[in-house]
Amino acid sequence: MLAFLPSALPVPRAGLFIASAVYAVGGGLLEVLVSPITEALPFQDKNSKMSLLHSFYSWGQVGVILLSTVFFLAFGIGNWRILACIWAAVPLLNGIFFMFVPLYKLVEEGARMPVRKLLSMRKFWLFALLMVCAGSIEQCVSQWASAFAESGLHISKSLGDILGPCMFALCMAVSRLSFSRFGERVDLRKSLLIAAAGCLVGYL
């Protein structure tokens, strides 16, 4: 969609916006689907395992940025549509593999909450708002870091992407991996408060 929609519509920006919205929703659905699957697995320390799971998102982001940068250096940024088609194969194959994965049930039969009741809970909307804000600020800061490096340090886009979004994702991956290893030794509530305060100061 990203490779073809901008050129198919009279306004290319509209095509980019629609394609970006679609794969953003896909990324959100992946988050919503994979986390409960991991939660249902019979692990002892689920917080650590969940942190390890989420680190793979960051490692994947690092890999995508580095491999895309190598592709652009080798074949030119004008061939970005080809790269978009190559990356589209990843979720396609994931969807095929997912059809054959055995799943544990997170809740017992008859204990599920109806969607209407879930949507009526204030706590649900609070957490939904938190997820939207957290995801938005994460992407905003990582992209801003790239633009800042390019304009402020007067470097190329390739190097700016590596110093910006790539380093941002790498730090996120290392912190999540570290928590998966040593998370049981720390106070989770205190750690979250410290992290939240640090993010607030950094973003401001």
Side-chain angles (χ1 to χ4, degrees), residues 34-163:
V34 175
S35 293
I37 292 172
T38 305
E39 181 70 22
L41 295 176
F43 293 126
Q44 292 296 326
D45 188 7
K46 294 192 176 184
N47 286 334
S48 296
K49 295 298 185 292
M50 194 67 72
S51 184
L52 178 63
L53 167 72
H54 288 285
S55 75
F56 281 95
Y57 169 84
S58 304
W59 292 121
Q61 187 176 351
V62 171
V64 166
I65 293 171
L66 291 179
L67 291 174
S68 298
T69 300
V70 171
F71 178 90
F72 290 143
L73 290 175
F75 302 104
I77 201 168
N79 292 312
W80 66 270
R81 288 182 173 84
I82 298 175
L83 183 64
C85 292
I86 293 173
W87 283 126
V90 177
L92 178 62
L93 292 174
N94 276 340
I96 295 173
F97 292 147
F98 186 76
M99 293 190 296
F100 304 100
V101 175
L103 301 177
Y104 280 91
K105 292 183 178 179
L106 186 59
V107 296
E108 297 295 332
E109 290 295 333
R112 298 177 181 178
M113 180 182 297
V115 176
R116 181 176 297 179
K117 184 177 180 181
L118 179 66
L119 295 177
S120 66
M121 296 175 61
R122 294 182 179 179
K123 187 182 293 186
F124 168 80
W125 291 108
L126 174 62
F127 281 109
L129 178 63
L130 287 174
M131 290 175 66
V132 170
C133 292
S136 300
I137 197 69
E138 174 188 318
Q139 295 302 317
C140 179
V141 169
S142 66
Q143 295 301 322
W144 170 84
S146 177
F148 173 78
E150 291 174 44
S151 61
L153 302 178
H154 304 290
I155 58 178
S156 65
K157 173 172 171 48
S158 298
L159 191 56
D161 287 342
I162 293 174
L163 292 178

